[in-house]
Amino acid sequence: MKVGATLSVQTNDAGELFGLRFLQDDDNGEQNLVALEQRDGKWQASADPVAADSMETVRSLTIKRNAASELAAARVPADIRNQLAEVFSDQFELSSLKAGDSINLVYETMVYAGTPIASGNLLAVSIQRAGQLYQAFYFAHDSESGAFYDAAGKPVKKGFSRQPVAGARISSGFGLRKHPILRTLRMHSGIDYAASAGTPIVAPADGELVKAQRESGYGNVAMIRHNGRLTTLYAHMSAFGKGMKPGAKVKAGDIIGYVGSTGRSTGAHLHFEVRINDQPVDPATNALPTPGLSQTQLAQFGAKRVALSAKLNLLQSIPANVAMID
């Protein structure tokens, strides 16, 4: 298990261990749910049907000294903290919050058999900073991707200048989902672009190539560091672009490789990851260009915003830090 992973432990009233659940990284951009149970004195993998539910979780806190450490102390998961740090990064750094500033959050918690196993999307956030209110609401464009918008439906984040595969469709989104073939529960740590073999893959922003090698799971994989905390990863490539070696400087639009099916892959596609402080986050909300909303989408967004705003307003009115409301 890696730093930041969630281990669910089940014990009986006598404190005896009888169940463990965690997500195991398969070195291929996915994590598989491992469910172990003790039955009749023997440990075995659970054969129960996979059923994961999404629960809205809220957190509220007033900053005393340090936002990062206090969010961790409030048991806000690492991936949600990283999403939060990026939502308003075009406007201010989370570390700039001072004593008296406040944060209210609504986010998804994925629950399996009654126990939390992973986090989903950050759904809504409001931050009071130096007397000014900042808000962001998640809106799903389709079943695979979405982005953050302010209360008026305007994009909160600019994002990269381009996508790694021009005009390609996102065939598999980020997050917890049931594998279509194996029927097992999996956490997808990136997004997949459906594209034909040989399609050019370009750098979506300037950076430095820190990895370009062959791996068993990812196949031909490249990684670009864009700043001190943000990196992007490109997997299953058929070949690397010219001059793409570790240490190479890349500009937005440079060809870093070509779509393929190397490694553990069932067909030609690009597996694309965005990592913040080495923690995978949803590329659609943290890095990719944010599209504007149509009139129909604005109406749908407005309805969702009203419901989420009510929860944020409730948190704002409570004169105490809130750990969780189910």
Side-chain angles (χ1 to χ4, degrees):
M1 297 183 69
K2 296 184 178 180
V3 172
T6 298
L7 173 66
S8 296
V9 179
Q10 291 181 298
T11 60
N12 59 23
D13 292 340
E16 298 169 331
L17 179 67
F18 71 87
L20 292 171
R21 293 185 178 92
F22 59 94
L23 290 166
Q24 174 67 36
D25 196 336
D26 72 350
D27 296 323
N28 187 32
E30 291 186 337
Q31 295 173 305
N32 304 311
L33 178 66
V34 178
L36 304 175
E37 297 178 355
Q38 191 176 50
R39 297 179 182 175
D40 300 325
K42 296 181 180 180
W43 284 95
Q44 61 186 42
S46 174
D48 294 337
V50 172
D53 298 309
S54 174
M55 179 185 74
E56 286 190 1
T57 301
V58 302
R59 293 286 191 273
S60 174
L61 68 153
T62 299
I63 304 302
K64 296 179 179 178
R65 293 184 179 180
N66 180 276
S69 61
E70 289 169 33
L71 284 164
R75 294 169 57 199
V76 176
D79 50 347
I80 297 297
R81 299 200 304 269
N82 282 325
Q83 289 183 57
L84 176 62
E86 288 299 306
V87 170
F88 299 112
S89 61
D90 290 351
Q91 301 170 61
F92 62 87
E93 295 288 335
L94 198 63
S95 58
S96 69
L97 297 185
K98 300 184 182 302
D101 293 338
S102 63
I103 301 174
N104 297 318
L105 303 172
V106 183
Y107 60 89
E108 293 174 315
T109 297
M110 306 307 295
V111 178
Y112 171 72
T115 57
I117 57 170
S119 302
N121 282 314
L122 175 63
L123 298 177
V125 53
S126 66
I127 293 180
Q128 284 278 356
R129 175 179 175 267
Q132 186 171 350
L133 177 65
Y134 298 84
Q135 290 186 318
F137 303 89
Y138 178 79
F139 180 75
H141 302 135
D142 50 41
S143 62
E144 304 298 343
S145 64
F148 287 106
Y149 299 85
D150 64 16
K154 302 295 184 183
V156 172
K157 239 177 114 63
K158 183 179 179 181
F160 289 155
S161 61
R162 63 191 71 206
Q163 301 209 39
V165 183
R169 174 180 60 89
I170 296 177
S171 58
S172 180
F174 178 90
L176 202 65
R177 61 195 59 239
K178 189 178 293 186
H179 192 280
I181 299 174
L182 301 177
R183 311 305 296 171
T184 55
L185 199 62
R186 293 194 168 193
M187 179 74 180
H188 195 208
S189 59
I191 60 176
D192 291 345
Y193 282 100
S196 57
T199 301
I201 301 166
V202 302
D206 297 352
E208 178 183 350
L209 199 69
V210 293
K211 178 190 289 188
Q213 63 191 44
R214 182 70 174 246
E215 296 182 357
S216 60
Y218 282 124
N220 289 330
V221 58
M223 181 181 286
I224 299 174
R225 180 171 298 282
H226 300 279
N227 55 43
R229 64 189 182 194
L230 192 147
T231 57
T232 54
L233 179 145
Y234 313 78
H236 307 305
M237 298 189 297
S238 60
F240 297 104
K242 185 177 180 180
M244 290 297 112
K245 296 181 179 180
K249 302 295 184 181
V250 295
K251 295 289 186 181
D254 287 352
I255 296 177
I256 58 175
Y258 301 88
V259 172
S261 187
T262 56
R264 286 200 294 277
S265 171
T266 57
H269 71 284
L270 170 66
H271 174 79
F272 174 63
E273 292 185 21
V274 172
R275 298 178 180 180
I276 298 173
N277 298 325
D278 205 34
Q279 176 77 37
V281 296
D282 189 349
T285 57
N286 291 276
L288 296 180
T290 303
L293 299 178
S294 67
Q295 289 300 314
T296 300
Q297 288 175 318
L298 277 171
Q300 296 170 340
F301 169 79
K304 293 180 181 297
R305 180 191 60 78
V306 168
L308 290 169
S309 291
K311 295 184 179 181
L312 292 176
N313 292 337
L314 174 62
L315 290 172
Q316 191 70 33
S317 67
I318 298 175
N321 288 357
V322 176
M324 180 183 289
I325 296 177
D326 294 342

